[in-house]
Amino acid sequence: MRLFSVLSLVLLPLSALAAKKTPGGKFWNFQSKALQSSPVKLNDASYEELTTAPRDYSAVVLLTAVEARFGCQLCREFQSEWDIVGKSWTKGDRQGATRTLFGTLDFADGKNTFQKLMLQTAPIILLFPPTTGQGAKADAQPIRYDFTTGPRTAEQIYPWITRHLPEGPQPPIYRPFNYMRLVAVTTILLGAISFLSIAAPYLLPLIQNRNLWAAISLIIILLFTSGHMFNHIRNVPYVTPDGKGGVQYFVGGFSNQLGLETQIVAAIYGVLSFATIALALRVPRMTSSKQQQVMVFVWGAVMFGMYGFLMRVFTIKNGGYPFRLPPF
């Protein structure tokens, strides 16, 4: 009986050591590290241990180079997103039910691994599927993800990872609350409220000024009725040559237009609008009847001339239009 107890004490450490060498023991070893800090920071030795078959778990490893001396801006931009993926998964799977591990191998800690894999760029993600157990694949080669389209967010990389994992629970992405953004937004809001409370006595008369809003509305109307948006959508030229050494200000057809043509039409509409406003508002307020008569004839002549010019422009756009007004 005493001999049996002695043998049990001798064999117990050996059995524990053997358990660590099995895939299951290897998984729980890395899972305990992930619970402390995820993704697990790797070096050449731990990367080899994590990824060597047999594996009864999935391993997702980011190979990166975040130190400034390596000059990998993409690596530094993606690192925080990768940390969110690893921490979110570990937070949602503390019991290891998904049997999935996340790790990070930096070039500074894994130069031999980078040379062994013949990697010339970073970052890349390698997903190692299980070789034994549930969801096992006969091909032990990892699935590679290259950042060919620039930096990615945690939400963008997450579907690719879950698509290549065995079926099972998938912990959601959890982004930590951004307190700096809260402080920044609060500061901006308080500053805006303070500014408005101080400037309100000066701004309210401007905001409530009907003439100001009328002028703004008139400018917007003139811009859009003259074809300003057409120019932006079609990216039309400003002027075109006329074939005789000069330039054309107007082109025929309703589907064609020039940048300068739009400005001329807007100016015509502006003068006609101003003449109408003057006749409706300014002239009736004049105290002298003779001055009123003169201004009526002046603004009437302006409207007549500008409207005649507008009809001439319309004739250029539509050659079949039969009506004109002198002197155009």
Side-chain angles (χ1 to χ4, degrees):
M1 189 69 177
R2 183 177 296 177
L3 178 62
F4 179 75
S5 301
V6 172
L7 289 175
S8 299
L9 292 174
V10 172
L11 294 176
L12 183 60
L14 297 177
S15 62
L17 180 61
K20 288 188 177 180
K21 297 297 184 181
T22 63
K26 188 166 55 172
F27 170 78
W28 291 114
N29 181 29
F30 281 99
Q31 176 68 6
S32 62
K33 295 179 180 179
L35 292 174
Q36 297 174 5
S37 177
S38 182
V40 178
K41 189 175 181 180
L42 305 173
N43 53 31
D44 285 324
S46 57
Y47 173 86
E48 190 71 20
E49 181 184 359
L50 176 67
T51 60
T52 301
R55 299 183 302 270
D56 63 348
Y57 56 86
S58 301
V60 192
V61 181
L62 171 69
L63 292 98
T64 185
V66 295
E67 292 188 16
R69 58 186 171 128
F70 300 129
C72 182
Q73 180 66 26
L74 179 58
C75 297
R76 292 191 291 272
E77 291 179 359
F78 180 68
Q79 187 60 46
S80 59
E81 297 297 316
W82 178 247
D83 290 341
I84 290 174
V85 174
K87 286 180 171 60
S88 299
W89 195 281
T90 303
K91 181 178 180 179
D93 184 32
R94 301 189 66 85
Q95 304 302 321
T98 63
R99 300 193 71 79
T100 302
L101 298 168
F102 288 81
T104 303
L105 178 63
D106 193 273
F107 180 75
D109 303 317
K111 293 180 181 179
N112 294 334
T113 301
F114 275 75
Q115 293 173 359
K116 181 180 177 181
L117 298 174
M118 294 183 292
L119 297 178
Q120 300 296 325
T121 60
I124 66 166
I125 297 175
L126 296 180
L127 191 151
F128 296 83
T131 59
T132 61
Q134 183 181 2
K137 293 186 178 180
D139 186 6
Q141 294 300 314
I143 305 170
R144 175 167 171 165
Y145 182 90
D146 291 286
F147 291 76
T148 56
T149 57
R152 312 292 286 177
T153 64
E155 289 77 10
Q156 291 172 324
I157 205 69
Y158 185 78
W160 178 85
I161 296 174
T162 56
R163 186 167 63 249
H164 293 92
L165 291 177
E167 293 184 2
Q170 299 175 354
I173 290 292
Y174 169 77
R175 281 191 175 273
F177 188 78
N178 192 336
Y179 291 98
M180 290 301 298
R181 178 177 295 180
L182 175 63
V183 172
V185 172
T186 303
T187 303
I188 293 173
L189 287 176
L190 291 176
I193 293 172
S194 301
F195 172 78
L196 291 175
S197 61
I198 296 173
Y202 307 98
L203 293 178
L204 282 178
L206 290 176
I207 296 175
Q208 296 172 348
N209 192 310
R210 291 185 299 173
N211 293 333
L212 176 63
W213 287 107
I216 294 174
S217 302
L218 183 60
I219 292 172
I220 294 174
I221 291 170
L222 293 178
L223 280 176
F224 287 101
T225 56
S226 63
H228 178 73
M229 289 304 300
F230 184 94
N231 293 350
H232 280 274
I233 295 172
R234 297 291 185 89
N235 195 22
V236 301
Y238 190 69
V239 292
T240 57
D242 61 357
K244 301 177 182 178
V247 295
Q248 282 184 315
Y249 300 138
F250 303 95
V251 291
F254 292 113
S255 60
N256 302 314
Q257 191 169 280
L258 299 175
L260 182 59
E261 174 184 332
T262 301
Q263 295 176 1
I264 294 174
V265 172
I268 295 172
Y269 286 154
V271 173
L272 288 173
S273 301
F274 189 77
T276 303
I277 294 171
L279 284 173
L281 300 178
R282 303 290 296 180
V283 174
R285 296 178 182 177
M286 295 180 178
T287 57
S288 174
S289 58
K290 291 183 179 181
Q291 191 176 12
Q292 281 185 339
Q293 292 177 355
V294 171
M295 296 308 298
V296 166
F297 283 114
V298 169
W299 288 117
V302 170
M303 291 184 66
F304 184 84
M306 294 307 297
Y307 190 70
F309 183 52
L310 181 62
M311 293 183 67
R312 176 58 181 168
V313 172
F314 191 79
T315 303
I316 296 174
K317 303 295 291 183
N318 182 13
Y321 190 70
F323 303 106
R324 294 185 182 181
L325 285 175
F328 304 100

